[in-house]
Amino acid sequence: MRIVLSGGGTGGHVYPALAIAEECLKHNPQSKFMYIGTNSGLERDIVAKSKLDLPFEAIEISGFCRKLLSTDNVRTVMRFLRGVKLAKAKLKEFKPDVVIGTGGYVCGPVLYAAAKLGIPTLIHEQNVLPGLTNKFLSRYVSSVAVSFKGIESRFPKARRATYTGNPRATSVVAADRLAGLRSLGLTDHDQL
């Protein structure tokens, strides 16, 4: 499997993408990945520090201002269009089997480009209230996965919306408690 992951802005979008990559590698150790994020969010640093050694590509994107009539929104639309063009080029070069987005503005041009190229796409929403980018993308992607039961209905334009839980839960459940305590300078006998 060749998989492109995209998510950014906060760790809440990046860590689930990394958890998906870890799970994919458990099932198919030969999987190849590329991560597409921005240089302005946390994703570049988080991906670089992960044990997965994922190639990282950056595109420039920003979110919309809440004030509709804003010159910043015109710049955002222009960045989105340039981002789609750049994402299409990166996707054509990497030739992924699937493109997965976990939220954040960067997912917009990446998943939109993938959908327009006919590549299977999935977005994962970790929150109870969907983000603007995931709501926008839900009408274009192949599937939407959600972390909470009942949230599927928040994506009425999606072809398919499915409850899957949060991919980070697997990492947390499997975490080594003693290693975590040691990393904080604590022992098993310390009171938390």
Side-chain angles (χ1 to χ4, degrees), residues 124-130 144-155 161-166:
H124 188 280
E125 178 60 60
Q126 298 87 43
N127 302 304
V128 172
L129 296 175
V144 175
V146 298
S147 291
F148 299 96
K149 287 183 181 174
I151 302 308
E152 303 92 332
S153 63
R154 297 197 186 258
F155 293 99
T162 307
Y163 163 72
T164 60
N166 192 315

Side-chain angles (χ1 to χ4, degrees), residues 3-169:
I3 303 165
V4 169
L5 299 165
S6 185
T10 69
H13 295 306
V14 182
Y15 289 112
L18 295 176
I20 290 169
E22 288 174 8
E23 194 63 28
C24 288
L25 285 169
K26 285 180 190 173
H27 297 281
N28 186 351
Q30 285 74 40
S31 294
K32 302 286 185 223
F33 296 91
M34 179 172 66
Y35 198 104
I36 301 178
T38 67
N39 285 322
S40 58
L42 299 174
E43 56 270 24
R44 180 179 283 284
D45 291 337
I46 294 171
V47 170
K49 291 176 185 172
S50 80
K51 63 184 176 190
L52 297 173
D53 191 33
L54 303 178
F56 186 92
E57 297 287 335
I59 61 173
E60 182 185 352
I61 188 68
S62 59
F64 283 100
C65 294
R66 300 294 185 209
K67 184 179 170 188
L68 191 58
L69 298 174
S70 165
T71 56
D72 287 338
N73 284 341
V74 173
R75 283 192 280 274
T76 296
V77 169
M78 296 309 296
R79 282 188 199 109
F80 177 84
L81 295 174
R82 280 193 305 269
V84 169
K85 183 177 179 181
L86 183 56
K88 280 184 176 180
K90 291 179 186 301
L91 294 171
K92 286 177 182 177
E93 183 180 328
F94 186 73
K95 296 179 179 61
D97 296 300
V98 65
V99 178
I100 301 171
T102 53
Y105 302 129
V106 70
C107 286
V110 175
L111 275 286
Y112 182 81
K116 291 300 180 183
L117 290 171
I119 301 168
T121 50
L122 167 81
I123 54 173
H124 188 280
E125 178 60 60
Q126 298 87 43
N127 302 304
V128 172
L129 296 175
L132 291 176
T133 302
N134 281 353
K135 283 174 72 172
F136 164 75
L137 289 171
S138 68
R139 72 189 84 187
Y140 300 105
V141 298
S142 309
S143 278
V144 175
V146 298
S147 291
F148 299 96
K149 287 183 181 174
I151 302 308
E152 303 92 332
S153 63
R154 297 197 186 258
F155 293 99
K157 295 183 180 178
R159 287 183 226 170
R160 180 176 35 248
T162 307
Y163 163 72
T164 60
N166 192 315
R168 278 292 289 162

